[in-house]
Each structure stands twice: as structure tokens, then as C-alpha cells.
Amino acid sequence: MTILCVRFQLPPMDEAAFPGLLGLLEEFTPVVEALPPDGALADLRGAERYFGRSAVELASVIRVRALARYGVDCVIGAGPGPMLARVALREARPGVTCAVPGDPDGIAEFLAGRPVSALPGVGAATARTLGEYGLDTLGRVAAAPLPTLQRLIGAKAGRELREKACGVDRGRVVPNAASRSLVAEQAFGLDELDPGRHRRALLSAAEEIGARLRAVEQVCRTLTLTVRYADRSSTTRSRTLKEPTAHSAALTRAAYGMYEALGLQRARVRALALRAEGLIPADRAAHQLTFDPVDEKVRRIEEVADRARAKFGPRAVMPGSLAA
């Protein structure tokens, strides 16, 4: 095991300690990839040789230092690659590092009985489609013929899913990713059950992120929604956008889609957060042209609204549902 996937148990909506915790990981290896708002990947191949300890032993040291310096516990998964470390993280708990074996037979045995949704990037719709055909575990997916998977979920997705189910991990840890994200948080004064208020909070967060992205002439590839509940638990969902964008309407649609997919029933929500990730300069992003006059009109109105906000303040122009 050379890769750690660490999730720090930060207090709800409190990310102030996150940069320091990333610095703690960098004491062991310079190859650290932030997974905001509370996670990170760390490649310990060099650290294992330098310290003469295994990744699991180093994970115990990291856990103790996080508790001693920041009062923050963490759960840690270890594996031969980033994808396998993320799968192991789902089975980990505070004080115990879950590790995926390093040999092919051990990897296959570890994955076989786990649900398809345990793989990073496999959403509810894909898991439901596969489940309808009895492919509800990674072992069954690994044993299924490749053409069958490709007919069900597409050629590229089917090939990638089968590789992952067989334990093939082509991912790598990309360092210095912490700066390539931007977050907007909306906390409620009281635990909020009203879906209408949840949606207005999402609209406000999406508008804020869109305006901030456009102000620095950047666009994002991925949007992540974090829902914090009254019992301090949370749910996180991510969605890769059809094209990199800073368009508030597109960000709002993505946020609404993730929220609706959660199917919350009278959930007591404490706070909502949207995070834009994979930021790149706007002039490097491609935009699909459209003949839709409404879309063009909305984008022009957005440009005018940005100029008004820059001159008269952030609340000079806002959606009508947020005016109250």
C-alpha cells in the first residue's frame, strides 16, 4: 500500500484547519492532492523508504499528530492506487486504517463483495441500471463480458468500469490541487426542513460562485454539493459539468440536480455548501455555441449584472426569489 486517502472529521462547515492538515501530510510527502472540503490523497512511496515504515504505520502517526495539533480525528484508507484507497476509505473508521492488499488476488477478493456504488464515479443511475441486470457487486461486474457492460452503460464507461472492478487503478495523485477550488456556504439559523428554502440557499450559493469565477476570469469543470444535517452527519455529491463554465444558470441547474437526486424527505438540514473544482482560465475553455436566443440573452444580462455589482455592490442585482 503506497497511497493514503484521508478524511478529516472537521466540525460542520469549518474548513479553517484544512490547510494546516494538508501541511501535516506534506511533512511526510510532497505528493499531496487536496479533496476539499475535508479530504486528501497522499502518495507515500518515497516516505515508506525514507522512514522505514509501511503506509499503514505512517497513517497511525498522521492520525496522532492531527489529534495532538488540531484536535481533529480522521479516517484513513490505504491501497496500491488512489481509486483503491478511496474504496478502502468507505470501510475505515476512526482509529483503524482499512488497507487493500497489494497482490492481484487480494485486491480481487477485497472488491468482489462490495456494491458497484463503492467505486468512485459510479452514481445512483449507473448502479441502478446495472442492478436491474443482476450486476450489483463488483465481483459480478468483473466477471461480466465486456460487450454486455458496454451495451448497458456505453463503450468507454463500460470499459473503465470493468477495469476498476478488476482492480486496475490507473489514477495518480496530483499535488497542489488545493488552490483549484472555490466554495460558497449557506448556513441556516435553525435546522431547516423546507425544500424551498434549501433550493433558495443553493441558488444563492451558485450565484455567488458564478460571480466570483467570472470576476477572476475562470471556469470550473466540477461542482460538489455538501449537505450538513442536524446530527452533524453530511452527504457529498459531485457532478462533472457538460462543459467548463462560470455561468450561474448552469451552476444552479447542476446544484438543483444533485440536490433532487438525494431524495431528501423532511431532512433537518443545518447548512449547504457548493464547491467549484477543477478551475481553469476562461480563455482556455471551449463553449458550445447555441442557436437558443434565450440562453444568449441570459448570458448578456449576466454580464450587465456583473458590471452593476462591481459598481454598486454584490446585492445591487440578484434573482427575485432571493430579494426578500
Side-chain angles (χ1 to χ4, degrees), residues 211-230:
R212 290 167 63 185
L213 286 173
R214 294 190 297 274
V216 295
E217 298 182 349
Q218 289 188 315
V219 294
C220 69
R221 294 191 181 97
T222 305
L223 195 65
T224 298
L225 166 66
T226 300
V227 183
R228 307 278 186 179
Y229 305 105

Side-chain angles (χ1 to χ4, degrees), residues 188-213:
F188 299 106
L190 300 173
D191 298 337
E192 186 57 66
L193 286 78
D194 183 3
R197 291 183 179 272
H198 297 167
R199 290 173 65 89
R200 284 195 290 275
L202 291 175
L203 173 60
S204 179
E207 288 280 336
E208 178 185 339
I209 284 180
R212 290 167 63 185
L213 286 173

Side-chain angles (χ1 to χ4, degrees), residues 2-6 40-44 55-56 58-59 62 76-79 85 97:
T2 58
I3 308 297
L4 295 184
C5 185
V6 184
L41 289 168
D43 188 335
L44 297 183
V56 173
L58 292 174
I62 290 169
I76 304 177
T97 299

Side-chain angles (χ1 to χ4, degrees), residues 27-292:
E27 294 175 6
F28 295 86
T29 172
V31 188
V32 175
E33 179 179 354
L35 301 176
D38 56 6
L41 289 168
D43 188 335
L44 297 183
R45 281 177 292 186
E48 287 179 307
R49 294 192 296 270
Y50 182 82
F51 292 103
R53 296 188 178 187
S54 69
V56 173
E57 291 173 328
L58 292 174
S60 298
V61 178
I62 290 169
R63 181 180 294 109
V64 170
R65 290 190 181 182
L67 280 167
R69 295 183 188 177
Y70 300 95
V72 174
D73 202 350
C74 57
V75 290
I76 304 177
M83 182 270 291
L84 292 169
R86 287 176 184 242
V87 175
L89 180 69
R90 295 171 60 99
E91 307 296 325
R93 62 183 188 274
V96 179
T97 299
C98 179
V100 180
D103 60 289
D105 291 339
I107 292 173
E109 183 179 354
F110 180 87
L111 294 176
R114 284 168 171 75
V116 176
S117 58
L119 284 180
V122 176
T126 299
R128 184 167 54 251
T129 299
L130 294 170
E132 291 173 353
Y133 292 87
L135 303 174
D136 55 348
T137 66
L138 294 177
R140 291 175 178 174
V141 170
L146 178 58
T148 299
L149 295 174
Q150 291 178 320
R151 283 197 298 271
L152 291 176
I153 62 174
K156 181 180 179 181
R159 182 176 64 254
E160 292 179 351
L161 176 63
R162 193 170 189 276
E163 283 186 351
K164 291 179 179 179
C166 291
V168 178
D169 191 346
R170 302 187 186 278
R172 62 190 183 92
V173 180
V174 181
N176 301 324
S179 62
R180 297 202 298 271
S181 66
L182 187 154
V183 66
E185 303 173 355
Q186 295 290 323
F188 299 106
L190 300 173
D191 298 337
E192 186 57 66
L193 286 78
D194 183 3
R197 291 183 179 272
H198 297 167
R199 290 173 65 89
R200 284 195 290 275
L202 291 175
L203 173 60
S204 179
E207 288 280 336
E208 178 185 339
I209 284 180
R212 290 167 63 185
L213 286 173
R214 294 190 297 274
V216 295
E217 298 182 349
Q218 289 188 315
V219 294
C220 69
R221 294 191 181 97
T222 305
L223 195 65
T224 298
L225 166 66
T226 300
V227 183
R228 307 278 186 179
Y229 305 105
D231 62 358
R232 297 183 178 273
S233 65
S234 65
T235 302
T236 301
R237 293 290 184 271
S238 294
R239 178 165 296 184
T240 300
L241 305 174
K242 292 182 179 179
E243 62 181 22
T245 187
H247 185 32
S248 294
L251 297 173
T252 301
R253 286 194 296 270
Y256 284 171
M258 288 186 287
Y259 172 79
E260 291 166 0
L262 292 176
L264 302 180
Q265 299 292 329
R266 294 190 59 78
R268 297 170 59 197
V269 175
R270 182 70 53 83
L272 295 159
L274 285 180
R275 180 178 294 276
E277 299 175 291
L279 307 190
I280 60 173
D283 58 7
R284 288 173 46 194
H287 170 55
Q288 178 64 49
L289 298 178
T290 176
F291 293 104
D292 182 4

